[in-house]
């Protein structure tokens, strides 16, 4: 047993249940009996795998994770594995997790994971469809039970065990940000149109007012207006200035 078997169980059982349970505190019994070089464990789990698992658990409970040293019978292995766990808790860079693609996962480990999922799926919704056998080929359209398979290949690619959860999370964040920006742009476009219309109405009103004022100033008086003015001038009494002694 090595990194491949641990990764299979960790990603398909531990992490899904942990995210559904949403713990407030994570306690890790850090036993390194399964580490490479341990004389009693006989497993081949690398320090990088221990660091990876600790890093994944650090995303739970808002980072409230306690790692307590448990077992192990090789001081060198314990030192290397504990160092990677500490680096994960501190947020320091971790070594790349190199899973041997040429070595097949042991059948006993695969069967154990299936048995655990089968027994636990009645208690956890995240495991409800884990033991379903997916078709080897997707032709599109519908299967016999009427389930649509359109877009299934893309979903399987996103849920591939070889994809890091952090990478998938970053892709989802980018999609959400792009959607939010598109909505914001639509709102701005909708709000600009009424503002522009109102501004145009105000400019037209000012233009009409200016035209009315100019027309009033330059308007030529009509004949009736001239007659009225002449009559008022004719009937206005003439002012006479008298010298002293005159009556």
């Amino acid at each position: 047993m090595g990194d491949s078997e641990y990764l299979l169980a960790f990603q398909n059982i531990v992490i899904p249940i942990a995210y559904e349970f949403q713990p407030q505190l994570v306690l890790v019994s850090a036993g390194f009996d399964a580490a490479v070089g341990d004389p009693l464990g006989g497993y081949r789990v690398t320090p990088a795998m221990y660091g990876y698992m600790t890093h994944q658990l650090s995303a739970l409970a808002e980072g409230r994770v306690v790692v307590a040293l448990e077992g192990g019978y090789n001081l060198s292995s314990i030192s290397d594995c504990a160092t990677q766990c500490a680096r994960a808790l501190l947020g320091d860079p971790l070594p790349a997790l190199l899973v041997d693609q040429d070595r097949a996962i042991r059948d006993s480990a695969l069967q154990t994971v299936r048995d655990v999922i089968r027994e636990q799926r009645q208690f956890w919704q995240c495991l409800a469809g884990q033991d379903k056998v997916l078709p080897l080929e997707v032709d599109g359209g519908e299967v016999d039970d009427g389930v649509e398979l359109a877009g299934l290949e893309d979903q399987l690619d996103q849920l591939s065990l070889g994809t890091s959860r952090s990478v998938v999370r970053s892709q989802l964040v980018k999609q959400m940000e792009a959607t939010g920006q598109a909505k914001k742009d639509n709102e701005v476009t909708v709000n600009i149109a009424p503002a522009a219309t109102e501004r145009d109405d105000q400019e037209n009103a000012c233009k009409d007012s200016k035209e009315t004022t100019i027309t009033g100033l330059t308007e030529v008086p009509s004949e009736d207006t001239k007659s009225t003015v002449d009559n008022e001038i004719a009937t206005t009494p003439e002012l006479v200035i008298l010298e002293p002694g005159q009556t």
Side-chain angles (χ1 to χ4, degrees), residues 28-42:
V28 180
S29 178
F32 301 116
D33 308 63
V36 174
D38 189 273
L40 297 181

Side-chain angles (χ1 to χ4, degrees), residues 8-136:
L8 176 68
F10 191 78
Q11 291 284 29
N12 288 275
I13 298 176
V14 178
I15 286 297
I17 291 178
Y19 272 90
E20 182 175 340
F21 182 71
Q22 289 293 312
Q24 297 178 342
L25 177 66
V26 178
L27 301 176
V28 180
S29 178
F32 301 116
D33 308 63
V36 174
D38 189 273
L40 297 181
Y43 283 26
R44 297 186 303 274
V45 181
T46 63
M49 184 63 197
Y50 282 106
Y52 171 82
M53 291 188 292
T54 306
H55 173 71
Q56 295 296 316
L57 294 175
S58 298
L60 298 168
E62 298 180 356
R64 292 187 289 266
V65 179
V66 177
V67 178
L69 184 61
E70 179 65 27
Y73 303 96
N74 185 312
L75 294 180
S76 178
S77 299
I78 293 174
S79 177
D80 293 340
C81 295
T83 298
Q84 297 306 322
C85 292
R87 291 175 63 88
L89 293 176
L90 294 173
D92 294 342
L94 298 174
L97 180 61
L98 302 177
V99 179
D100 188 2
Q101 301 290 343
D102 296 332
R103 189 180 67 84
I105 296 177
R106 289 179 176 271
D107 293 338
S108 58
L110 186 59
Q111 187 59 44
T112 299
V113 170
R114 288 174 175 171
D115 293 341
V116 172
I117 292 176
R118 187 175 297 107
E119 293 297 328
Q120 294 294 325
R121 66 181 180 180
Q122 58 180 324
F123 307 108
W124 304 101
Q125 294 182 359
C126 59
L127 303 180
Q130 289 279 18
D131 61 342
K132 301 297 183 181
V133 178
L134 296 178
L136 297 178

Side-chain angles (χ1 to χ4, degrees), residues 194-206:
T197 303
E198 182 178 355
R199 184 169 59 253
D200 294 340
D201 293 342
Q202 293 178 355
E203 291 178 355
N204 294 333
C206 293

